[in-house]
Amino acid sequence: SSAGSVQISVLIDNDFQLFVDGTAYTNGFVVHEGCADVSPPAPITISNLSAGNHVLAVQARDRGNVAFFDVSLSLPR
């Protein structure tokens, strides 16, 4: 059965790559020069996931100075 859609938001001060079940959902590193007063990039929506367990992997790249990294998931109700 289908679990529906999942939205994944990544807030990072530099760059990231996102994978779900080994499938890349970003084309290489997404460059985001974020900071506390900058809006985060739009969430990445993944549709038609099957019900059950999945593997989420995020590779982050820090280019120096203060670093932060936050990932959030929004699941259907």
Side-chain angles (χ1 to χ4, degrees):
S1 68
S2 176
S5 296
V6 174
Q7 285 192 332
I8 303 171
S9 297
V10 178
L11 183 59
I12 185 169
D13 66 330
N14 291 152
D15 317 327
F16 72 94
Q17 287 181 294
L18 174 70
F19 303 86
V20 176
D21 296 333
T23 299
Y25 283 87
T26 57
N27 185 11
F29 277 98
V30 173
V31 177
H32 179 62
E33 295 291 344
C35 62
D37 59 350
V38 173
S39 297
I44 296 168
T45 301
I46 301 171
S47 301
N48 300 322
L49 280 177
S50 61
N53 296 322
H54 297 277
V55 176
L56 170 69
V58 182
Q59 179 177 358
R61 180 169 59 186
D62 180 43
R63 291 184 267 128
N65 297 322
V66 176
F68 63 87
F69 175 67
D70 182 54
V71 176
S72 64
L73 296 172
S74 297
L75 304 172
R77 292 184 179 240

Coordinates of all heavy atoms in Angstrom, one line a residue:
S1 N 0.8 -1.2 0.0 CA 0.0 0.0 0.0 C 0.9 1.2 0.0 O 2.0 1.2 0.3 CB -0.9 0.0 1.2 OG -0.2 0.1 2.4
S2 N 0.3 2.4 -0.3 CA 1.0 3.6 -0.5 C 0.9 4.4 0.8 O -0.1 4.5 1.4 CB 0.5 4.4 -1.6 OG 1.2 5.7 -1.7
A3 N 2.0 5.0 1.2 CA 2.0 5.9 2.4 C 1.8 7.3 1.9 O 1.6 8.2 2.8 CB 3.4 5.8 3.1
G4 N 1.7 7.6 0.6 CA 1.5 9.0 0.2 C 2.7 9.7 0.0 O 3.7 9.2 -0.4
S5 N 2.7 11.0 0.3 CA 3.8 11.9 0.0 C 4.5 12.3 1.3 O 3.9 12.3 2.4 CB 3.3 13.2 -0.6 OG 2.8 13.0 -1.9
V6 N 5.8 12.6 1.2 CA 6.6 13.0 2.4 C 7.3 14.3 1.9 O 7.8 14.4 0.8 CB 7.6 11.9 2.7 CG1 8.6 12.4 3.8 CG2 7.0 10.6 3.2
Q7 N 7.3 15.3 2.8 CA 8.1 16.5 2.5 C 9.3 16.5 3.4 O 9.2 16.3 4.6 CB 7.3 17.7 2.7 CG 6.3 18.0 1.6 CD 5.7 19.4 1.7 OE1 5.6 19.9 2.8 NE2 5.2 19.9 0.6
I8 N 10.5 16.7 2.8 CA 11.7 16.8 3.6 C 12.3 18.2 3.4 O 12.5 18.6 2.3 CB 12.7 15.7 3.0 CG1 12.1 14.3 3.2 CG2 14.0 15.8 3.8 CD1 12.9 13.2 2.5
S9 N 12.6 18.8 4.5 CA 13.2 20.1 4.5 C 14.6 20.0 5.1 O 14.8 19.4 6.1 CB 12.4 21.1 5.4 OG 11.1 21.3 4.8
V10 N 15.5 20.7 4.4 CA 16.9 20.7 4.9 C 17.3 22.2 5.1 O 17.1 23.0 4.2 CB 17.8 20.0 3.9 CG1 19.3 20.1 4.3 CG2 17.4 18.6 3.6
L11 N 17.8 22.5 6.3 CA 18.3 23.8 6.5 C 19.8 23.6 6.9 O 20.1 22.9 7.9 CB 17.6 24.5 7.7 CG 18.0 25.9 8.0 CD1 17.8 26.8 6.8 CD2 17.2 26.4 9.2
I12 N 20.7 24.2 6.1 CA 22.1 24.0 6.3 C 22.8 25.3 5.9 O 22.3 26.1 5.0 CB 22.6 22.8 5.5 CG1 24.1 22.6 5.8 CG2 22.4 23.0 4.1 CD1 24.6 21.3 5.3
D13 N 23.9 25.6 6.5 CA 24.6 26.8 6.1 C 25.5 26.7 4.8 O 26.0 27.7 4.3 CB 25.5 27.3 7.3 CG 26.6 26.4 7.6 OD1 26.5 25.2 7.4 OD2 27.6 26.9 8.1
N14 N 25.6 25.5 4.3 CA 26.4 25.3 3.1 C 25.7 24.4 2.1 O 24.6 24.8 1.7 CB 27.8 24.8 3.4 CG 28.7 25.8 4.1 OD1 29.6 25.5 4.9 ND2 28.4 27.1 3.9
D15 N 26.2 23.2 1.9 CA 25.7 22.4 0.8 C 25.2 21.0 1.3 O 25.7 20.5 2.3 CB 26.8 22.1 -0.2 CG 27.6 23.4 -0.6 OD1 27.0 24.5 -0.5 OD2 28.8 23.3 -0.8
F16 N 24.2 20.4 0.5 CA 23.8 19.1 0.9 C 23.3 18.3 -0.3 O 23.0 18.8 -1.4 CB 22.6 19.1 1.9 CG 21.3 19.6 1.3 CD1 20.4 18.7 0.9 CD2 21.0 21.0 1.2 CE1 19.2 19.1 0.3 CE2 19.8 21.4 0.7 CZ 18.9 20.5 0.2
Q17 N 23.3 16.9 -0.1 CA 22.7 16.0 -1.1 C 21.7 15.2 -0.3 O 21.9 14.8 0.9 CB 23.7 15.0 -1.6 CG 24.7 15.7 -2.6 CD 25.7 14.6 -3.2 OE1 26.5 14.1 -2.4 NE2 25.6 14.3 -4.4
L18 N 20.6 14.8 -0.9 CA 19.5 14.1 -0.3 C 19.2 12.8 -1.0 O 19.1 12.8 -2.3 CB 18.2 14.9 -0.2 CG 17.0 14.2 0.3 CD1 17.1 13.9 1.8 CD2 15.8 15.0 0.0
F19 N 19.1 11.7 -0.3 CA 18.8 10.3 -0.9 C 17.8 9.7 0.0 O 17.8 9.8 1.2 CB 20.1 9.4 -0.8 CG 21.3 10.0 -1.5 CD1 22.2 10.8 -0.9 CD2 21.5 9.6 -2.9 CE1 23.3 11.3 -1.5 CE2 22.6 10.1 -3.5 CZ 23.5 11.0 -2.9
V20 N 16.8 9.0 -0.7 CA 15.8 8.2 0.0 C 15.9 6.8 -0.7 O 15.7 6.7 -1.9 CB 14.4 8.8 -0.1 CG1 13.4 7.8 0.5 CG2 14.4 10.1 0.6
D21 N 16.1 5.8 0.1 CA 16.2 4.4 -0.4 C 17.2 4.3 -1.5 O 17.0 3.6 -2.5 CB 14.9 3.9 -0.9 CG 13.9 3.8 0.3 OD1 14.3 3.6 1.4 OD2 12.7 3.9 0.0
G22 N 18.3 5.1 -1.5 CA 19.4 5.0 -2.4 C 19.1 5.8 -3.7 O 20.0 5.9 -4.5
T23 N 18.0 6.5 -3.8 CA 17.7 7.3 -5.0 C 18.0 8.7 -4.6 O 17.6 9.3 -3.6 CB 16.2 7.2 -5.3 OG1 15.9 5.8 -5.7 CG2 15.9 8.1 -6.5
A24 N 18.8 9.4 -5.5 CA 19.2 10.8 -5.3 C 18.0 11.7 -5.6 O 17.4 11.6 -6.7 CB 20.3 11.2 -6.1
Y25 N 17.7 12.6 -4.7 CA 16.6 13.6 -4.9 C 17.2 15.0 -5.1 O 16.5 16.0 -5.1 CB 15.6 13.5 -3.8 CG 14.7 12.4 -4.0 CD1 15.0 11.1 -3.4 CD2 13.5 12.5 -4.7 CE1 14.2 10.0 -3.6 CE2 12.7 11.4 -4.9 CZ 13.0 10.1 -4.3 OH 12.3 9.1 -4.5
T26 N 18.5 15.1 -5.2 CA 19.2 16.3 -5.5 C 20.2 16.0 -6.6 O 20.7 14.9 -6.6 CB 19.9 17.0 -4.4 OG1 20.8 16.1 -3.8 CG2 18.9 17.4 -3.3
N27 N 20.4 16.9 -7.5 CA 21.4 16.6 -8.6 C 22.7 17.1 -8.2 O 23.1 18.3 -8.4 CB 20.9 17.3 -9.9 CG 21.8 17.0 -11.1 OD1 22.6 16.1 -11.0 ND2 21.6 17.7 -12.1
G28 N 23.5 16.3 -7.5 CA 24.7 16.7 -6.9 C 24.5 17.5 -5.6 O 23.4 17.4 -5.1
F29 N 25.4 18.3 -5.2 CA 25.2 19.1 -4.0 C 24.3 20.3 -4.3 O 24.5 21.0 -5.3 CB 26.6 19.6 -3.4 CG 27.3 18.6 -2.6 CD1 28.3 17.8 -3.1 CD2 26.9 18.5 -1.3 CE1 28.9 16.9 -2.3 CE2 27.6 17.5 -0.5 CZ 28.6 16.8 -1.0
V30 N 23.3 20.6 -3.4 CA 22.5 21.8 -3.5 C 23.2 22.8 -2.7 O 23.5 22.6 -1.5 CB 21.1 21.5 -2.9 CG1 20.3 22.8 -2.9 CG2 20.4 20.5 -3.8
V31 N 23.6 23.9 -3.3 CA 24.3 25.0 -2.6 C 23.3 25.9 -1.9 O 22.4 26.4 -2.6 CB 25.2 25.8 -3.5 CG1 25.9 26.9 -2.8 CG2 26.2 24.9 -4.2
H32 N 23.4 26.1 -0.6 CA 22.5 27.0 0.1 C 23.3 27.8 1.1 O 23.8 27.2 2.1 CB 21.4 26.2 0.9 CG 20.5 27.1 1.7 ND1 19.7 28.0 1.1 CD2 20.3 27.2 3.0 CE1 19.0 28.6 2.0 NE2 19.4 28.1 3.2
E33 N 23.5 29.0 0.9 CA 24.2 29.9 1.8 C 23.2 30.4 2.8 O 22.7 31.5 2.8 CB 24.8 31.1 1.0 CG 25.8 30.7 0.0 CD 27.1 30.2 0.6 OE1 27.3 30.4 1.8 OE2 27.9 29.6 -0.1
G34 N 22.9 29.5 3.8 CA 21.9 29.8 4.8 C 22.4 30.5 6.0 O 23.6 30.4 6.3
C35 N 21.6 31.2 6.7 CA 21.9 31.7 8.0 C 20.6 31.9 8.7 O 19.5 31.7 8.2 CB 22.7 32.9 8.0 SG 21.9 34.3 7.2
A36 N 20.6 32.3 10.0 CA 19.4 32.3 10.8 C 18.3 33.2 10.2 O 17.1 33.0 10.4 CB 19.8 32.7 12.2
D37 N 18.7 34.3 9.5 CA 17.7 35.2 9.0 C 17.4 35.0 7.5 O 16.8 35.9 6.9 CB 18.2 36.7 9.2 CG 19.5 37.0 8.6 OD1 20.2 36.0 8.1 OD2 19.9 38.1 8.6
V38 N 17.7 33.9 7.0 CA 17.4 33.5 5.6 C 16.4 32.4 5.5 O 16.5 31.5 6.3 CB 18.7 33.1 4.8 CG1 18.4 32.6 3.4 CG2 19.7 34.2 4.8
S39 N 15.4 32.6 4.7 CA 14.4 31.5 4.6 C 15.0 30.3 4.0 O 15.8 30.3 3.1 CB 13.3 32.0 3.6 OG 12.6 33.1 4.1
P40 N 14.6 29.1 4.6 CA 15.1 27.8 4.1 C 14.6 27.6 2.6 O 13.6 28.1 2.2 CB 14.5 26.8 5.0 CG 13.3 27.5 5.6 CD 13.6 28.9 5.6
P41 N 15.3 26.7 1.9 CA 14.8 26.4 0.6 C 13.5 25.6 0.7 O 13.2 25.1 1.7 CB 16.0 25.5 0.0 CG 16.7 25.0 1.2 CD 16.5 26.1 2.3
A42 N 12.8 25.6 -0.4 CA 11.5 24.9 -0.5 C 11.7 23.4 -0.1 O 12.7 22.8 -0.5 CB 10.9 25.0 -1.8
P43 N 10.8 22.8 0.6 CA 10.9 21.3 0.9 C 10.9 20.5 -0.4 O 10.4 20.9 -1.4 CB 9.6 21.0 1.7 CG 9.1 22.3 2.1 CD 9.5 23.3 1.1
I44 N 11.6 19.4 -0.3 CA 11.6 18.4 -1.4 C 10.5 17.4 -1.1 O 10.4 16.8 0.0 CB 13.0 17.7 -1.4 CG1 14.1 18.7 -1.7 CG2 12.9 16.5 -2.4 CD1 15.5 18.2 -1.5
T45 N 9.6 17.2 -2.1 CA 8.4 16.4 -1.9 C 8.7 15.0 -2.6 O 9.1 15.0 -3.8 CB 7.1 17.0 -2.5 OG1 6.9 18.2 -1.8 CG2 5.9 16.1 -2.3
I46 N 8.5 14.0 -1.9 CA 8.6 12.6 -2.5 C 7.3 12.0 -2.5 O 6.7 11.8 -1.4 CB 9.7 11.8 -1.7 CG1 11.0 12.5 -1.8 CG2 9.8 10.4 -2.3 CD1 12.1 12.0 -0.9
S47 N 6.7 11.6 -3.6 CA 5.4 11.1 -3.7 C 5.4 9.6 -3.9 O 6.4 9.0 -4.3 CB 4.6 11.7 -4.9 OG 4.6 13.1 -4.8
N48 N 4.3 8.9 -3.6 CA 4.0 7.5 -3.9 C 5.0 6.6 -3.2 O 5.4 5.6 -3.7 CB 4.1 7.2 -5.4 CG 3.0 8.0 -6.1 OD1 1.9 8.2 -5.7 ND2 3.4 8.5 -7.3
L49 N 5.4 6.9 -1.9 CA 6.2 6.0 -1.1 C 5.3 4.9 -0.7 O 4.1 5.1 -0.3 CB 6.7 6.7 0.1 CG 8.0 7.6 -0.1 CD1 8.4 8.3 1.2 CD2 9.1 6.8 -0.6
S50 N 5.8 3.7 -0.7 CA 5.1 2.5 -0.1 C 5.1 2.6 1.4 O 6.0 3.2 2.0 CB 5.7 1.2 -0.6 OG 7.1 1.2 -0.2
A51 N 4.1 2.0 2.0 CA 4.1 1.9 3.5 C 5.2 1.1 3.9 O 5.6 0.1 3.2 CB 2.7 1.4 3.9
G52 N 5.8 1.4 5.1 CA 6.9 0.6 5.6 C 8.1 1.4 5.9 O 8.0 2.6 6.0
N53 N 9.2 0.8 6.1 CA 10.5 1.4 6.5 C 11.2 1.9 5.2 O 11.2 1.3 4.2 CB 11.4 0.5 7.3 CG 10.8 0.1 8.6 OD1 10.1 0.9 9.2 ND2 11.0 -1.2 8.9
H54 N 11.9 3.1 5.4 CA 12.7 3.7 4.3 C 14.0 4.2 4.9 O 14.1 4.4 6.1 CB 11.9 4.8 3.6 CG 10.7 4.3 3.0 ND1 10.7 3.8 1.7 CD2 9.4 4.3 3.4 CE1 9.4 3.4 1.4 NE2 8.6 3.8 2.4
V55 N 15.0 4.3 4.0 CA 16.3 4.9 4.5 C 16.5 6.3 3.9 O 16.4 6.5 2.7 CB 17.4 4.0 4.0 CG1 18.8 4.6 4.4 CG2 17.3 2.6 4.6
L56 N 16.7 7.2 4.8 CA 16.9 8.6 4.5 C 18.4 8.9 4.7 O 18.9 8.6 5.8 CB 16.1 9.6 5.3 CG 16.4 11.0 5.3 CD1 16.1 11.6 3.9 CD2 15.7 11.8 6.3
A57 N 19.1 9.4 3.7 CA 20.5 9.8 3.9 C 20.7 11.2 3.4 O 20.2 11.5 2.3 CB 21.4 8.8 3.1
V58 N 21.4 12.0 4.2 CA 21.7 13.4 3.8 C 23.2 13.5 4.0 O 23.7 13.3 5.0 CB 21.0 14.4 4.6 CG1 21.3 15.8 4.1 CG2 19.5 14.2 4.5
Q59 N 23.9 13.9 2.9 CA 25.3 14.2 3.0 C 25.5 15.7 3.0 O 25.0 16.4 2.1 CB 26.0 13.6 1.8 CG 27.5 13.9 1.8 CD 28.2 13.3 0.6 OE1 27.7 12.6 -0.2 NE2 29.5 13.5 0.5
A60 N 26.1 16.2 4.1 CA 26.3 17.7 4.2 C 27.7 18.0 4.0 O 28.6 17.2 4.3 CB 25.9 18.1 5.6
R61 N 28.0 19.2 3.4 CA 29.3 19.7 3.2 C 29.5 21.1 3.9 O 28.8 22.0 3.6 CB 29.6 19.8 1.7 CG 31.0 20.2 1.4 CD 31.3 20.0 -0.1 NE 30.4 20.8 -1.0 CZ 30.4 20.7 -2.3 NH1 31.3 19.9 -2.9 NH2 29.6 21.4 -3.0
D62 N 30.4 21.1 4.8 CA 30.7 22.4 5.5 C 32.0 23.0 4.9 O 33.0 22.3 4.6 CB 30.9 22.1 7.0 CG 31.2 23.4 7.7 OD1 30.6 24.4 7.5 OD2 32.1 23.4 8.6
R63 N 31.9 24.3 4.6 CA 33.0 25.0 4.0 C 33.7 26.0 5.0 O 34.4 26.9 4.6 CB 32.5 25.8 2.7 CG 32.2 24.8 1.6 CD 31.8 25.5 0.4 NE 30.3 25.7 0.3 CZ 29.7 26.8 0.1 NH1 30.4 27.9 -0.1 NH2 28.4 26.9 0.1
G64 N 33.5 25.7 6.3 CA 34.2 26.5 7.3 C 33.3 27.4 8.1 O 32.1 27.6 7.8
N65 N 33.8 28.1 9.1 CA 33.1 29.0 10.0 C 32.0 28.2 10.8 O 32.1 27.0 10.9 CB 32.5 30.2 9.2 CG 33.6 31.0 8.6 OD1 34.6 31.2 9.2 ND2 33.3 31.5 7.4
V66 N 31.1 28.9 11.3 CA 30.0 28.3 12.1 C 29.2 27.4 11.2 O 28.9 27.8 10.1 CB 29.2 29.4 12.8 CG1 28.0 28.7 13.5 CG2 30.0 30.2 13.7
A67 N 28.8 26.2 11.7 CA 28.0 25.3 10.9 C 26.7 24.9 11.6 O 26.7 24.8 12.8 CB 28.8 24.1 10.6
F68 N 25.6 24.7 10.8 CA 24.4 24.2 11.3 C 23.8 23.3 10.3 O 24.0 23.5 9.1 CB 23.5 25.3 11.8 CG 23.0 26.2 10.8 CD1 21.8 25.9 10.0 CD2 23.6 27.4 10.5 CE1 21.4 26.8 9.0 CE2 23.2 28.3 9.6 CZ 22.0 28.0 8.8
F69 N 23.0 22.4 10.7 CA 22.3 21.4 9.9 C 21.1 20.9 10.5 O 21.1 20.4 11.7 CB 23.3 20.2 9.6 CG 22.8 19.1 8.8 CD1 22.5 19.2 7.5 CD2 22.6 17.8 9.4 CE1 22.0 18.2 6.8 CE2 22.1 16.8 8.7 CZ 21.8 16.9 7.4
D70 N 19.9 21.0 9.9 CA 18.7 20.5 10.4 C 17.8 19.9 9.3 O 17.7 20.4 8.2 CB 17.9 21.7 11.0 CG 16.6 21.3 11.6 OD1 16.6 20.4 12.5 OD2 15.6 21.9 11.3
V71 N 17.3 18.7 9.6 CA 16.4 18.0 8.6 C 15.1 17.7 9.3 O 15.0 17.3 10.5 CB 17.0 16.6 8.2 CG1 16.1 15.9 7.3 CG2 18.4 16.8 7.5
S72 N 14.0 18.0 8.6 CA 12.7 17.7 9.2 C 11.8 17.0 8.1 O 12.0 17.2 6.9 CB 12.0 19.0 9.6 OG 11.7 19.9 8.5
L73 N 11.0 16.1 8.6 CA 10.1 15.3 7.7 C 8.6 15.7 8.1 O 8.3 15.9 9.2 CB 10.2 13.8 8.0 CG 11.5 13.2 7.7 CD1 11.5 11.8 8.2 CD2 11.8 13.2 6.2
S74 N 7.8 15.9 7.0 CA 6.4 16.1 7.2 C 5.7 14.9 6.5 O 5.8 14.7 5.3 CB 5.9 17.4 6.5 OG 6.6 18.5 7.2
L75 N 5.0 14.1 7.3 CA 4.3 12.9 6.9 C 2.8 13.2 6.7 O 2.2 14.0 7.4 CB 4.5 11.8 7.8 CG 6.0 11.5 8.2 CD1 6.1 10.4 9.3 CD2 6.7 11.0 6.9
P76 N 2.1 12.5 5.8 CA 0.7 12.6 5.7 C 0.0 12.1 6.9 O 0.5 11.3 7.6 CB 0.3 11.8 4.4 CG 1.5 10.8 4.4 CD 2.7 11.4 4.9
R77 N -1.2 12.7 7.2 CA -2.0 12.3 8.3 C -3.1 11.4 7.9 O -3.6 11.4 6.9 CB -2.6 13.5 9.0 CG -1.5 14.3 9.7 CD -2.1 15.4 10.5 NE -1.1 16.2 11.1 CZ -1.0 16.3 12.4 NH1 -1.9 15.8 13.2 NH2 0.0 17.0 12.9

